[in-house]
Amino acid sequence: MVLSGALCFRMKDATLKVLYLHDNQLQAGALQAGKVIKGEEISVVPNRYLDAKLSPVILGVQGGSQCLSCGTGQEPTLKLEPVNIMELYHSAEESKRFTFYRRDTGLTSSFELAAYPGWFLCTMPEVDQPLRVTQLPKDTSWDGPITDFYFQQCD
């Protein structure tokens, strides 16, 4: 099956902070000026060129006109790049840096960077902080990075 367009999801971290776009960066927060943030619509397509059993997905914002990338350096650098999500969906070229392996763990999911095994999308315990990447710590104390997300399809 070939998609004609991206699917729409919303993401919250395990502490229920929603992802929203601010200054061309995804951040996690709950309230802004006393208003509840609805959260950014995340465009999602599978990466058809990687092992489907690993659930590889490409994540975009602004209708899929920008996609989340982990860069190409020695260590990952999370950023939004101006590339169309459907072009990545149809092309095997350079799509690995835009791909995350979705791992379902009950009600939540974690997202491992395909290009950097062992690195995961995360939020910080503090509100209004940028979405980041982290290696899973050996000590999973309560004040560390949050790597579990609620990943729900838009209404």
Side-chain angles (χ1 to χ4, degrees):
M1 179 174 116
V2 176
L3 294 177
S4 59
L7 302 173
C8 176
F9 284 81
R10 292 194 193 278
M11 291 175 71
K12 296 178 187 175
D13 71 11
T15 65
L16 302 181
K17 292 189 303 288
V18 297
L19 297 186
Y20 66 94
L21 200 57
H22 179 71
D23 289 338
N24 202 38
Q25 198 173 44
L26 278 173
Q27 294 191 349
L31 295 172
Q32 273 189 340
K35 294 181 182 172
V36 174
I37 304 167
K38 187 173 184 180
E40 191 67 27
E41 290 186 356
I42 308 293
S43 300
V44 179
V45 296
N47 183 325
R48 302 182 304 155
Y49 303 97
L50 296 176
D51 187 351
K53 287 184 243 138
L54 298 174
S55 298
V57 293
I58 298 169
L59 307 172
V61 296
Q62 295 187 316
S65 64
Q66 293 189 75
C67 293
L68 209 50
S69 163
C70 60
T72 57
Q74 237 179 331
E75 287 201 350
T77 305
L78 197 63
K79 60 186 172 186
L80 287 169
E81 290 191 33
V83 60
N84 185 290
I85 197 168
M86 293 310 292
E87 288 177 18
L88 293 173
Y89 174 70
H90 290 294
S91 169
E93 300 299 315
E94 296 186 43
S95 63
K96 195 168 185 180
R97 76 174 190 263
F98 296 99
T99 303
F100 302 86
Y101 293 127
R102 178 181 166 190
R103 295 202 174 129
D104 292 331
T105 51
L107 296 175
T108 60
S109 300
S110 63
F111 295 87
E112 183 177 18
L113 284 62
Y116 296 88
W119 288 82
F120 291 81
L121 287 182
C122 73
T123 60
M124 300 309 288
E126 303 81 25
V127 296
D128 302 322
Q129 295 297 309
L131 185 66
R132 302 173 187 189
V133 294
T134 188
Q135 290 181 299
L136 288 182
K138 292 178 181 30
D139 170 27
T140 55
S141 62
W142 60 271
D143 60 349
I146 301 160
T147 59
D148 291 324
F149 294 89
Y150 293 100
F151 192 64
Q152 300 167 319
Q153 202 154 4
C154 298
D155 301 332

